[in-house]
């Protein structure tokens, strides 16, 4: 399967714990995006990378959230001191990165439940 | 603030019916509009629309964009139970941004 992959698919944690999610984009895709989706809502943008550079961050991305893409390939999203309000599906997407009008392809998501 | 509104929020139809899903938007510097289908997992890409009046088609699905009136429609003809899903509309806007702004989606249920 050469699509976007995410790990883990599900995560249950206790409030206050730190969690880290991984995303592997489609090979040769230069742009990588993180979104968060809660029940009954469309995905909300969190942040985006062009290669290893983090170029855009949403105001939704509080200082407890940090994302990295150290070698311009896979990316990690870490949430520190999790809160119950962080419970959501975290989606990763990637696109080629060659133009201004591009399709973003999504991974299966990591479903986080904070108890 | 950019806004994408989809209607209806949910819809129940019988197999074989034709449905029209609506998406309106208010954004600055519109660049493109995308439709995705989500079945309890990752959104899967359907269409990207950038120009008014050009219909995109894929099998029983088609979509068109009206940049003057700021809306798009997604049509599904001869619906099947496999079409049951949430259909998401998203817009890319802004001079240097690549983020997608999504609507809440339309939940389509097709019953036999």
């Amino acid at each position: 399967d050469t699509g976007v992959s995410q790990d883990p698919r599900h995560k249950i944690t206790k409030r206050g714990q730190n969690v880290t999610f991984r995303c592997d984009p489609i090979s040769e895709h230069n742009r990588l995006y993180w979104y968060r989706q809660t029940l009954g809502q469309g995905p909300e943008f969190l942040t985006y990378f062009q290669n290893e550079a983090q170029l855009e961050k949403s105001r939704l991305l509080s200082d407890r959230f940090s994302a990295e893409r150290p070698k311009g390939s896979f990316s990690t999203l870490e949430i520190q001191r999790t809160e119950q309000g962080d419970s959501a599906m975290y989606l990763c997407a990637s696109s080629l990165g060659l133009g201004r009008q591009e399709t973003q392809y999504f991974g299966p998501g990591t479903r986080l439940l904070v108890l | 603030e950019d806004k994408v509104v989809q209607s209806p929020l949910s819809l129940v139809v019988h197999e074989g019916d034709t449905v029209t899903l609506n998406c309106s938007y208010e954004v600055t510097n519109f660049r493109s509009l995308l439709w995705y289908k989500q079945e309890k997992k990752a959104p899967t890409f359907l269409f990207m629309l950038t120009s008014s009046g050009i219909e995109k088609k894929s099998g029983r699905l088609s979509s068109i964009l009206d940049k003057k009136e700021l809306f798009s429609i997604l049509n599904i003809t001869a619906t099947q139970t496999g079409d049951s899903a949430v259909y998401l509309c998203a817009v890319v806007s802004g001079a240097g941004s690549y983020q997608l702004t999504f609507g809440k989606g339309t939940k389509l249920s097709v019953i036999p």
Side-chain angles (χ1 to χ4, degrees), chain A residues 10-81:
Chain A
H10 300 89
K11 179 71 178 180
I12 300 174
T13 191
K14 292 182 179 179
R15 189 177 53 186
Q17 298 294 304
N18 298 344
V19 294
T20 300
F21 309 141
R22 176 180 170 126
C23 170
D24 287 88
I26 294 171
S27 179
E28 297 177 357
H29 276 196
N30 294 321
R31 292 188 184 134
L32 186 148
Y33 314 79
W34 286 99
Y35 292 83
R36 180 173 69 186
Q37 186 175 25
T38 53
L39 201 62
Q41 303 294 317
E44 295 175 294
F45 171 80
L46 293 177
T47 189
Y48 124 78
F49 292 83
Q50 172 87 36
N51 299 311
E52 65 274 9
Q54 188 174 18
L55 297 184
E56 199 171 355
K57 292 200 294 187
S58 162
R59 55 184 166 76
L60 292 175
L61 210 68
S62 77
D63 56 7
R64 295 185 299 105
F65 287 69
S66 63
E68 294 183 340
R69 194 182 182 199
K71 297 181 181 178
S73 56
F74 73 91
S75 174
T76 57
L77 177 68
E78 181 183 17
I79 309 174
Q80 296 182 325
R81 305 181 303 281

Side-chain angles (χ1 to χ4, degrees), chain B residues 65-110:
Chain B
L65 174 68
D66 187 327
K67 289 170 74 172
K68 182 178 178 185
E69 300 298 330
L70 308 183
F71 77 90
S72 173
I73 59 172
L74 175 68
N75 278 321
I76 309 174
T77 59
T79 51
Q80 302 171 357
T81 54
D83 295 327
S84 296
V86 174
Y87 290 84
L88 294 165
C89 172
V91 172
V92 182
S93 60
S97 173
Y98 294 93
Q99 63 174 278
L100 292 171
T101 301
F102 282 87
K104 290 186 177 183
T106 294
K107 183 177 180 180
L108 174 65
S109 300
V110 182

Side-chain angles (χ1 to χ4, degrees), chain A residues 9 31 33 35 37 40-45 48 50 56 58-59 89 91 99-109 111, chain B residues 1 31-32 34 36 38 40-45 47-48 50 86 88 92 94-105:
Chain A
R9 296 289 305 276
R31 292 188 184 134
Y33 314 79
Y35 292 83
Q37 186 175 25
Q41 303 294 317
E44 295 175 294
F45 171 80
Y48 124 78
Q50 172 87 36
E56 199 171 355
S58 162
R59 55 184 166 76
M89 173 79 88
L91 291 164
R100 297 179 71 244
Q101 292 166 338
E102 293 196 329
T103 300
Q104 294 180 25
Y105 296 93
F106 284 83
R111 187 171 294 281
Chain B
E1 185 175 327
R31 300 226 301 272
S32 58
L34 295 90
Y36 288 86
Q38 187 171 29
K40 293 188 178 180
K41 49 183 181 179
T44 54
F45 171 74
F47 298 111
M48 175 187 281
T50 57
V86 174
L88 294 165
V92 182
S97 173
Y98 294 93
Q99 63 174 278
L100 292 171
T101 301
F102 282 87
K104 290 186 177 183

